Amino acid sequence: MFWLAAHMWFLLIAAFAVGVAVGWWIWGKQPDSPVQRARDEAMGSLALDFTDPGDEEESKAP
């Protein structure tokens, strides 16, 4: 009986560890290509919504 309980606990803990490891691997991955990384950063950033005030002054100059 102890043998059965020990194996059940071992399998339960092993399944939990595998799930944590796979989750860590999937959600912890970074994009490999610089293009994809730049696209992801632009999607979550407000940097493209505003322009530098210096750029506007240069465009108004004759």
Side-chain angles (χ1 to χ4, degrees):
M1 187 67 157
F2 175 74
W3 179 85
L4 178 62
H7 278 82
M8 289 172 59
W9 275 104
F10 171 75
L11 291 174
L12 182 67
I13 292 170
F16 177 75
V18 168
V20 168
V22 169
W24 192 292
W25 178 64
I26 290 173
W27 282 285
K29 283 181 102 172
Q30 295 294 324
D32 294 334
S33 70
V35 173
Q36 182 66 35
R37 186 173 296 130
R39 189 179 319 148
D40 290 345
E41 288 173 1
M43 290 291 289
S45 173
L46 296 176
L48 297 177
D49 293 343
F50 303 102
T51 58
D52 186 18
D55 294 341
E56 293 178 3
E57 292 173 5
E58 291 175 3
S59 64
K60 293 179 182 177

